[in-house]
Structure formats: C-alpha cells, structure tokens
Amino acid sequence: MNQSAVGSLVPRQAPGSYGLPFVSAIRDRLDFYYFQGEAKYFESRVEKHGSTVLRINVPPGPFMARDPRVVAVLDAKSFPVLFDVDKVEKKNLFTGTYMPSTSLTGGFRVCSYLDPSEPTHTKVKQLLFSLLASRKDAVIPAFRSHFSSLLATVESQLVLAGKSNFNTLNDFTSFEFIADAYFGVLPSASGLGTTGPTKAAKWLIFQLHPLVTFGLPLILEEPLLHTVLLPPIFVSGDYKALYKYFYAAATKALDMAESLGLNRDEACHNLLFATVFNSYGGLKVMLPGILGRIAEAGEKFHQRLAAEVRTAVADAGGKVTIEALEKMELTKSAVWEALRLEPPVKFQYGRAKADMNIESHDAVFAVNKGEMLFGYQPCATKDPRVFGSTAREFVGDRFVGEGSKLLQYVYWSNGRETESPSVDNKQCPGKNLVVLVGRLLVVEMFLRYDTFTADVGVDLLGPKVEFTGVTKATSGPGAV
C-alpha cells in the first residue's frame, strides 16, 4: 500500500492483548526467555495478529516493572516514531519498563535516562561532544596499537591451541582502547590494573540482568534474575574503583564539564556511564557482530575487502587515515550491514506525549497519551518491505552506490543513519565514532590477513566469535 493510501485510512486500535494482570505478564516473560526466545516472541505475535503494530507485554514484568504493557512498533515505517522527541518522552526509559537503582550511578540519573527537555541533558551531551572532538586524533592510533596486539595474541593462540576466542580478548582490549582513546590513560597502568573489564562487566550485569538469560535452569534464574533487582551493594566496591580511575584520568574532561555548568562529581558519573555502559558495552557486542558476519561471508568477500583496504591505504602513503577510510565504500557498507543485523541495543522505548496516530506499511493506529511505545529493532531493520527477500541475510555491499539510499532505515544509533546526534535528540553522541571503530577493525583484519575462518555462536549479550584460522596477507602493507 502506498504512502498516500495509508495516510487516508481511518485510525484503529492496535490489535493484541495484555491478558490477565500479573499472570499473563509472567507467562509472556517465560515465552520471551525460555520457550520462544526474543526474536520468535515478537515474530509469532506479529503473525498471530497480522499486524506489525500491536499490544503486548514485554519483560521483565512483575515485580521489577510496574507496568509491562506496551504498544510495539515492529516494522521500518512505524519504528522511527521512537526517535521523535516531539511525540515521545524519554525520561527514565533507557532500559524500558524498569529502571536500575541510581545507587549504581552515584545517586544521579545519568544522561541516558534524561529527556532532552531536561537542562542537564543538554550539558552532559555537549560535554560528550566536546570530549569526542578533543580526542578525535587519538582514536586511529589507539585502535591500531591495541588491536594489533590483540591479533598478535590471536595468532599465538592459534599456533598453540588451534583456536582463539575473540570475545575474551576483545573484552580486555576494548576496555583499554576506549579509555585510552577518550582520556589517554590506560586503565591497566592505574590502580585498576587488569581488573577493569571484570568490574565493568559485573556493574553492567547488575543493570541488565532483567533483560538477559544466563542459560541457568528456569527454576533458578527466574527468582534470582527476573523477579527483583539485584542489590547494588554487591557491586559498590567495583563501581568505586571504576569511579576513582575516571576521576583521575578524565581531569581535562571534568574541567570542560565545570565550564559547561556541571557539577564535577555528576559529570564524572556521566563520563563513567558513557564510557563503560554506552561505549565499552557497545563494543563488547558490536565488534564480535561485525567480525562474525564477515567471517561467515567467506573468502571471496574477504578478497574484495582486502583489495579495497590495501588500495586505499597504499594511496594514502601506507597510512590509515580518515581520508583513506572514507574511500572504502565496501568496508563502510559491510559495517553498516552488520549493525543493521546485529544492533548493539535492540530495544527502544518512548512514552506518548499526546494522543497520536502511528502508521505501519498497511494501517494507521491510534495511540493514547501516556501509553508506552516499544520497538524491537531487529524486526524493523530486517523488514522485507524495505530490504526485500534478503532482509535477514548479510549482504556486504548492500549500501554501496544506489544502495546508500537504504541507510535511512539503519537505526542502531537510536536514530536514522542519515541523521546526526544533537543535544536536542537521543541519538548516540558517538555515532560516527562507532562506525569508524567498526571500519578500523575491518581495516586491521585485511591489512594483516587475506582471509580468516571462525566459528560463530551466541554469547550472553550477542554474537560469540572463535577464530579457527588466519591466512597472512600476501600483498599490501601487511604482507609477509
């Protein structure tokens, strides 16, 4: 149905049902975690009701969430309503229908939980923009240094054991890299030593445990992880150690914060959250996602990437520069395609500011003021009405040439890939940095290797990648 035809339709109520209070929410939670899994949970309900906009319960439900009821928007057309801060409020909705204790963030509601209308949101987001701008020249050399060491370790482990777990190595390397890139101070050279990633992971789990399953028996996991929030006291020591590092390492950024009118303590908690939760947490998911998709794409695709990367770097005098990276159209496309299929943050939320209508491809739905809107991003970014019969497949050159028109339907950054973050929206302030880092991973791989193989599986928060072999580069700067 075309745009004008949909717009002329009479709005109707979204189909679906919330079922019996309490009981149905728990039953749906069990479907989500154990009986169906998250993707099937949404897909089966779309199929049942014949609509991509529908009323459902979302986890965690009782007793952590006061109200699990949402209007779900599960196609590429309806999903962007979640980005429109004129239509939806974002206050305290970063994790959805529940909110972790502010004891986990120094007693402050950090930027991710603020609506753009709140004055502190503008100050913190401007701080993040200023930090990124001030450190832009540090990113490429920091990444190449840290990930060159990671790949050297991969090669050693392959010789010794015939395999190498990328996720394990990435957990440490990404923590070191992102802190080095942002602040120029290695966590491992501070009082944290090598404990930073472990402390960060524990702190992340205490915020995200309502939305994940650890693979434990249902009878253990449900009461322990999905019924009540874990007490923050159990990670307070870890958080204090992280905070101590940031307070010392981020001196220049904290000076910038004070010039913007932010309290130094509140700014430090925000920098910690933005670095550890948003940036590091994202890299823990994103980099294995990119690597896994490219591993599965096979040797012929690897050859195309290697040729493009090596040509652009050679033309830049053998250096990896921003200008060289911008010439790598296939590399950029491959990263965007991986982010389309494996978005680091799958769930988005917003509360309707007023009565409104939401359009799907085929219908118009009435939503009432105060209702919670929810989006499961993989449904929207794998929409066959936009991406065709290959919507669920990795097509590495999808966004090359005319395909770049489809970038408006890539939503991983909490906004369209064709739009830019600002203090007035909730789009990721590090959007361009994230894509840059993804491209740098591809560049580092194909300067060093002609091809590689890996087993790709599932980890706690996303893809798991285990190298099984690498073929050293036979041409270009990394040739042996």
Side-chain angles (χ1 to χ4, degrees):
M1 190 175 293
N2 63 43
Q3 178 86 19
S4 58
V6 172
S8 66
L9 294 175
V10 176
R12 60 186 177 92
Q13 288 296 309
S17 170
Y18 302 122
L20 296 173
F22 189 82
V23 174
S24 294
I26 291 179
R27 181 201 63 203
D28 289 344
R29 182 170 76 202
L30 296 178
D31 278 347
F32 180 89
Y33 291 123
Y34 309 105
F35 304 143
Q36 292 183 300
E38 62 181 43
K40 186 66 176 175
Y41 178 82
F42 300 113
E43 291 165 1
S44 65
R45 283 153 178 78
V46 167
E47 184 177 354
K48 176 182 177 181
H49 297 289
S51 175
T52 50
V53 177
L54 65 162
R55 296 177 184 276
I56 58 173
N57 295 311
V58 294
F63 295 93
M64 281 185 274
R66 183 176 59 84
D67 189 351
R69 299 174 298 173
V70 301
V71 177
V73 287
L74 302 175
D75 63 74
K77 188 172 183 181
S78 62
F79 192 91
V81 70
L82 294 164
F83 310 145
D84 190 340
V85 293
D86 290 329
K87 293 182 178 180
V88 298
E89 183 185 51
K90 292 288 190 171
K91 184 177 180 180
N92 297 339
L93 300 183
F94 179 60
T95 47
T97 58
Y98 78 99
M99 180 178 172
S101 169
T102 55
S103 296
L104 291 163
T105 51
F108 295 99
R109 291 170 56 240
V110 291
C111 189
S112 291
Y113 291 96
L114 301 178
D115 187 80
S117 64
E118 299 180 74
T120 301
H121 179 274
T122 297
K123 294 177 182 179
V124 174
K125 202 159 184 183
Q126 185 57 59
L127 169 63
L128 298 177
F129 287 141
S130 298
L131 172 64
L132 292 168
S134 70
R135 297 292 297 171
K136 65 181 187 301
D137 294 333
V139 175
I140 293 177
F143 185 92
R144 297 209 67 199
S145 173
H146 290 289
F147 280 82
S148 177
S149 296
L150 179 150
L151 293 175
T153 303
V154 167
E155 291 166 18
S156 298
Q157 291 182 350
L158 285 171
V159 170
L160 292 172
K163 59 184 180 180
S164 178
N165 188 312
F166 175 76
N167 293 58
T168 301
L169 297 176
N170 180 56
D171 283 352
F172 177 79
T173 303
S174 282
F175 192 81
E176 289 280 288
F177 154 68
I178 204 66
D180 189 10
Y182 285 177
F183 310 114
V185 180
L186 294 174
S188 59
S190 74
L192 278 176
T194 58
T195 67
T198 301
K199 294 181 187 301
K202 287 172 63 178
W203 177 69
L204 288 169
I205 287 169
F206 268 64
Q207 296 168 83
L208 294 173
H209 70 87
L211 297 177
V212 298
T213 175
F214 290 80
L216 300 173
L218 183 156
I219 197 169
L220 292 176
E221 198 166 69
E222 274 297 290
L224 288 175
L225 299 178
H226 299 152
T227 304
V228 295
L229 290 168
L230 296 174
I233 189 68
F234 292 128
V235 289
S236 62
D238 299 293
Y239 187 75
K240 288 176 182 176
L242 291 168
Y243 179 89
K244 184 178 179 180
Y245 162 78
F246 280 91
Y247 200 83
T251 301
K252 292 182 180 179
L254 294 174
D255 290 343
M256 283 193 289
E258 288 187 318
S259 72
L260 291 168
L262 279 169
N263 172 280
R264 202 172 184 90
D265 182 43
E266 183 174 9
C268 190
H269 288 290
N270 271 283
L271 287 172
L272 193 164
F273 192 92
T275 306
V276 178
F277 194 114
N278 300 132
S279 301
Y280 174 59
L283 293 179
K284 280 169 66 72
V285 178
M286 181 190 81
L287 295 184
I290 293 171
L291 193 64
R293 291 290 178 173
I294 291 176
E296 293 177 330
E299 186 172 354
K300 288 185 179 180
F301 186 63
H302 297 175
Q303 291 171 352
R304 293 172 63 193
L305 285 170
E308 177 183 80
V309 166
R310 294 170 195 175
T311 298
V313 171
D315 289 347
K319 296 180 180 180
V320 177
T321 64
I322 291 293
E323 292 75 16
L325 288 163
E326 284 302 312
K327 294 179 181 178
M328 302 178 194
E329 295 296 328
L330 182 61
T331 299
K332 287 191 284 187
S333 177
V335 170
W336 281 322
E337 179 71 341
L339 287 168
R340 178 184 75 86
L341 293 169
E342 306 280 359
V345 179
K346 296 178 181 179
F347 309 128
Q348 276 83 28
Y349 308 84
R351 192 173 298 280
K353 288 184 173 181
D355 293 349
M356 70 169 86
N357 294 330
I358 296 176
E359 291 186 10
S360 70
H361 293 296
D362 302 309
V364 180
F365 301 95
V367 171
N368 299 322
K369 178 181 178 179
E371 287 196 283
M372 178 77 94
L373 303 180
F374 162 85
Y376 179 64
Q377 194 176 137
C379 282
T381 55
K382 296 175 185 175
D383 188 341
R385 301 281 284 272
V386 171
F387 294 103
S389 60
T390 61
R392 294 178 177 274
E393 301 171 16
F394 178 85
V395 179
D397 58 1
R398 188 185 298 276
F399 300 108
V400 173
E402 285 295 304
S404 64
K405 294 177 180 178
L406 293 173
L407 284 172
Q408 63 178 305
Y409 301 107
V410 176
Y411 302 144
W412 71 269
S413 65
N414 201 25
R416 295 183 187 273
E417 190 62 25
T418 50
E419 297 175 352
S420 299
S422 75
V423 296
D424 299 317
N425 63 31
K426 293 300 290 182
Q427 192 165 22
C428 172
K431 167 180 173 279
N432 294 333
L433 173 67
V434 170
V435 176
L436 170 63
V437 169
R439 287 150 60 187
L440 286 171
L441 177 65
V442 178
V443 168
E444 204 63 33
M445 287 293 299
F446 290 103
L447 285 177
R448 197 174 186 109
Y449 310 120
D450 284 342
T451 188
F452 69 99
T453 56
D455 292 330
V456 182
V458 179
D459 205 0
L460 177 63
L461 297 175
K464 175 183 177 181
V465 179
E466 188 168 70
F467 282 100
T468 56
V470 296
T471 300
K472 290 288 191 72
T474 53
S475 65
V480 293

